[in-house]
Amino acid sequence: MARSRSSSSSSSSSGWRYINPAYYLKRPKRLALLFFLFVLFTFFFWDRQTLVRDHQEEISKLNEEVIQLRNLLEDLKNGGGIAGEKMKHSSDGVHAVKNMDSPDNILDAQRREKVKDAMLHAWSSYEKYAWGHDELQPQTKNGIDSFGGLGATLIDSLDTLYIMGLDEQFQRAREWVAKSLDFNKNYDASVFETTIRVVGGLLSTYDLSGDKLFLDKAQDIADRLLPAWNTETGIPYNIINLAHGNPHNPGWTGGDSILADSGTEQLEFIALSQRTGDRRYQEKVENVILELNKTFPDDGLLPIYINPHKGTSSYSTITFGAMGDSFYEYLLKVWIQGNRTAAVSHYRKMWETSMKGLLSLVRRTTPSSFAYLCEKMGRSLNDKMDELACFAPGMLALGSSGYSPDESQKFLSLAEELAWTCYNFYQSTPTKLAGENYFFNDGQDMTVGTSWNILRPETVESLFYLWRLTGNKTYQEWGWNIFQAFEKNSRIESGYVGLKDVNTGVKDNVMQSFFLAETLKYLYLLFSPPSVIPLDEWVFNTEAHPIKIVTRNDRAVSSGRSSGSQESDRQSQSRKEGRFRIHH
């Protein structure tokens, strides 16, 4: 045993000497060998790290190329995607989508893919938990029928699915429309909401796909809405029973019709007349404008309540927000829809008059000089602006091209100022999502009033128009920031929800149909080439449904009416009343 211990100790001592520096100092050849091995190992390790970095960069590039190829394959695999739509409507559309060489185009493609993923998440959640119902309640994973059980989310989403090239989802939706969509409902429907969502959604899908199923369905529901225009003046009632007729106005308006609800059906009903050859739809809605034009004020600003029997305005708020907004929007867009001809020149004239009135409502805050649009009651101004009024920057930018160069620049500059304010509605809250409305006080810039957010589209709508019309990529960056805020605060496992309070981030339980119809569509187009739904060929209705521009050379509709058929135009209260609601 003693010998064994001694042998072990000697062996251990012999091993330790190789790590003693003195050992190598006495043996230079071994020192040189050790140095050589150290250098060799260092070069080997450095080379491996370089290879790993190169490999990672190569993988990253390949992933980007895969994203691009996947987008193109999905677009090209059928006639239903962006590329297919472009092939029908724009000779250079496919090439525009394919041109992914520049870093900007690669970034746009990646962001477009993220928005598309959001649409897939929203749609698949609706399909799983609320199929055929109007809207999804994501937190409780069930459907609700907010609009009489017309499949509002499904119909609102049809053209978004088509534009994004989501063919399988589109085909399943089409099958539901063909087999299950039934308008014979004993339900008091909003004429406005039903027009902009259902009639508009079906017409847009017909214009994109050419599938007559959608035109036939649009005509079916429009026929059920027509009796709403049977008033002494032709200014429509805003509510009608889809099965029995019986039009009327909501009790809370005191019997009056709402401006936006009565003046936002023109695009849809004119398009329906053009595509069916039945002029009844166009005559009813255009007579509304002629009636309002008889007493149109010098500043072009109308109160939100109108007596449908006398055609006179009631003492009420003047606003570019809830219950007023889309009336002014459609004055401009019907002019664009008719391709700016003499037949629609009176719409442009009325719109320009209203824009003079809009200028009188512009104020700026201290200390940051944010431009905003006041509301008005009589001669008194209220320093309040709805997020709904954030459609106005896009409208001003879109309409600026019809002015002289100096006037055009003035309105475009105002549009950019207002867009900055609307973007700051988002940036000024902890969640980076905008509240429903804002108040402005000296020295305080902006303060959230009603603090919910229900996934509204108006600000991203204006960013889309400003990017398309100016080419300024800043608007894309702002839109991307808003999208990321929705992803962070509103996306849950079973869809997207609004917030009860943008300060605390507490969630509600509704995925609004316009989130799929408008918010995600405008975000997708914000990162798509301008040849995708080009603005010289399409005009968007107030629910973001693109309708084909058709040149009008017809005479303006006569203001004469027989006593039982005095009708007009205008929607019902989506952005105004319907969208003004919130589900908890």
Side-chain angles (χ1 to χ4, degrees):
M1 292 292 294
R3 183 176 179 180
S4 175
R5 273 192 221 100
S6 174
S7 174
S8 173
S9 175
S10 174
S11 173
S12 174
S13 175
S14 174
W16 279 103
R17 66 182 177 176
Y18 292 108
I19 63 173
N20 188 343
Y23 174 83
Y24 293 97
L25 290 174
K26 296 177 181 179
R27 297 168 177 81
K29 290 184 178 179
R30 294 195 177 186
L31 178 61
L33 178 62
L34 182 65
F35 179 76
F36 175 77
L37 290 173
F38 172 78
V39 171
L40 185 65
F41 177 80
T42 300
F43 272 110
F44 176 81
F45 181 79
W46 177 83
D47 184 63
R48 294 295 298 170
Q49 290 296 100
T50 302
L51 286 173
V52 169
R53 281 197 301 271
D54 290 343
H55 180 68
Q56 290 173 336
E57 291 175 1
E58 200 65 28
I59 290 293
S60 178
K61 291 179 181 177
L62 286 171
N63 282 335
E64 292 174 355
E65 292 175 5
V66 167
I67 290 173
Q68 296 168 30
L69 289 171
R70 184 168 57 187
N71 288 338
L72 292 173
L73 284 172
E74 288 178 354
D75 292 337
L76 291 169
K77 76 179 178 181
N78 58 70
I82 298 179
E85 197 274 330
K86 267 340 46 54
M87 284 187 280
K88 288 186 287 184
H89 300 297
S90 177
S91 60
D92 63 349
V94 178
H95 302 293
V97 176
K98 285 184 178 179
N99 181 18
M100 293 292 183
D101 297 326
S102 75
D104 283 346
N105 284 336
I106 292 172
L107 181 61
D108 286 349
Q110 292 171 338
R111 290 177 171 180
R112 189 165 64 243
E113 189 68 17
K114 290 289 186 182
V115 177
K116 187 174 182 178
D117 173 76
M119 178 64 187
L120 275 170
H121 179 63
W123 175 260
S124 61
S125 299
Y126 169 77
E127 195 169 8
K128 183 175 182 180
Y129 300 115
W131 185 247
H133 290 285
D134 287 328
E135 291 178 313
L136 166 67
Q137 291 188 310
Q139 302 220 56
T140 50
K141 298 181 180 179
N142 63 281
I144 53 172
D145 289 330
S146 317
F147 303 102
L150 305 181
T153 292
L154 188 149
I155 295 175
D156 245 354
S157 300
L158 284 167
D159 54 7
T160 306
L161 295 172
Y162 191 94
I163 290 167
M164 291 186 180
L166 297 171
D167 186 60
E168 292 180 8
Q169 292 79 3
F170 177 81
Q171 290 302 327
R172 287 196 295 272
R174 184 203 180 279
E175 183 177 1
W176 184 88
V177 171
K179 296 181 178 179
S180 302
L181 180 57
D182 177 16
F183 296 127
N184 191 33
K185 307 278 189 182
N186 184 19
Y187 172 75
D188 285 351
S190 162
V191 177
F192 169 75
E193 295 288 356
T194 307
T195 297
I196 66 170
R197 297 176 193 240
V198 182
V199 180
L202 292 168
L203 280 174
S204 175
T205 308
Y206 169 70
D207 277 358
L208 287 164
S209 68
D211 189 336
K212 194 170 182 293
L213 165 70
F214 301 109
L215 179 61
D216 292 341
K217 290 290 186 179
Q219 189 167 16
D220 181 0
I221 185 63
D223 285 343
R224 297 172 185 273
L225 300 177
L226 279 180
W229 280 266
N230 292 338
T231 66
E232 289 91 334
T233 62
I235 293 171
Y237 292 114
N238 298 154
I239 305 292
I240 192 167
N241 187 284
L242 295 178
H244 308 298
N246 305 324
H248 60 280
N249 277 332
W252 54 268
T253 67
D256 285 336
S257 297
I258 297 168
L259 176 64
D261 289 28
S262 304
T264 313
E265 293 86 12
Q266 283 77 10
L267 282 179
E268 296 83 359
F269 276 54
I270 290 170
L272 188 59
S273 284
Q274 290 171 334
R275 285 143 186 77
T276 63
D278 187 338
R279 285 185 57 83
R280 289 179 303 152
Y281 312 107
Q282 177 176 334
E283 288 172 353
K284 287 197 177 283
V285 296
E286 294 216 290
N287 277 333
V288 175
I289 300 302
L290 293 172
E291 185 67 29
L292 293 176
N293 200 21
K294 291 177 181 177
T295 56
F296 206 54
D298 291 340
D299 63 2
L301 301 178
L302 292 177
I304 58 174
Y305 294 147
I306 302 172
N307 187 313
H309 308 292
K310 300 177 181 178
T312 55
S313 297
S314 300
Y315 185 77
S316 51
T317 302
I318 288 172
T319 179
F320 280 83
M323 295 185 280
D325 51 4
S326 53
F327 166 73
Y328 304 102
E329 175 187 358
Y330 270 36
L331 290 179
L332 173 67
K333 287 186 173 179
V334 174
W335 176 69
I336 294 172
Q337 179 190 32
N339 210 11
R340 313 177 186 215
T341 63
V344 286
S345 61
H346 59 294
Y347 286 95
R348 174 74 194 200
K349 183 178 180 181
M350 291 176 71
W351 182 78
E352 289 191 5
T353 301
S354 297
M355 291 310 97
K356 293 176 183 177
L358 178 144
L359 292 177
S360 71
L361 302 179
V362 175
R363 296 292 183 274
R364 289 175 174 80
T365 69
T366 56
S368 300
S369 197
F370 289 116
Y372 63 96
L373 298 177
C374 291
E375 295 184 346
K376 187 177 182 180
M377 176 77 82
R379 295 185 177 182
S380 300
L381 294 179
N382 183 11
D383 294 303
K384 168 183 170 286
M385 181 175 172
D386 291 345
E387 194 281 337
L388 285 166
C390 285
F391 86 98
M395 175 187 69
L396 290 168
L398 189 62
S400 65
S401 62
Y403 286 108
S404 67
D406 288 345
E407 285 290 288
S408 175
Q409 186 56 53
K410 179 178 75 174
F411 281 101
L412 184 58
S413 295
L414 177 58
E416 293 178 316
E417 282 193 85
L418 291 170
W420 171 240
T421 300
C422 291
Y423 176 60
N424 277 278
F425 285 174
Y426 285 79
Q427 292 299 295
S428 62
T429 72
T431 57
K432 306 300 181 186
L433 290 177
E436 182 73 359
N437 51 52
Y438 285 77
F439 290 89
F440 306 88
N441 301 295
D442 287 341
Q444 295 183 12
D445 282 331
M446 60 182 70
T447 305
V448 176
T450 304
S451 60
W452 68 58
N453 178 290
I454 58 172
L455 308 171
R456 289 200 187 277
E458 286 75 22
T459 297
V460 294
E461 171 186 352
S462 284
L463 298 180
F464 160 72
Y465 280 116
L466 283 164
W467 171 69
R468 277 283 183 97
L469 297 167
T470 69
N472 187 343
K473 297 185 76 66
T474 296
Y475 300 117
Q476 289 182 307
E477 295 304 315
W478 293 356
W480 180 246
N481 291 339
I482 292 172
F483 173 71
Q484 289 182 305
F486 280 128
E487 289 291 287
K488 180 179 179 180
N489 295 284
S490 294
R491 181 168 178 152
I492 63 174
E493 174 267 334
S494 49
Y496 286 83
V497 293
L499 301 184
K500 292 181 180 180
D501 189 337
V502 295
N503 296 308
T504 64
V506 176
K507 294 173 171 56
D508 71 13
N509 189 29
V510 179
M511 185 172 76
Q512 306 281 346
S513 81
F514 55 70
F515 181 66
L516 293 80
E518 301 186 70
T519 309
L520 292 179
K521 183 187 288 136
Y522 280 128
L523 283 166
Y524 185 81
L525 293 173
L526 183 62
F527 303 112
S528 298
S531 55
V532 180
I533 315 295
L535 295 180
D536 60 346
E537 297 180 20
W538 299 86
V539 60
F540 290 91
N541 86 336
T542 197
E543 190 79 3
H545 296 306
I547 294 174
K548 207 77 173 74
I549 291 173
V550 176
T551 301
R552 283 182 58 182
N553 293 308
D554 55 302
R555 295 180 181 179
V557 175
S558 168
S559 60
R561 302 185 185 82
S562 61
S563 120
S565 77
Q566 308 168 0
E567 7 244 343
S568 346
D569 133 84
R570 279 335 173 189
Q571 316 177 199
S572 141
Q573 1 174 156
S574 164
R575 260 185 202 162
K576 320 328 162 194
E577 181 208 78
R579 299 189 181 178
F580 204 53
R581 64 190 169 79
I582 182 171
H583 301 286
H584 297 280

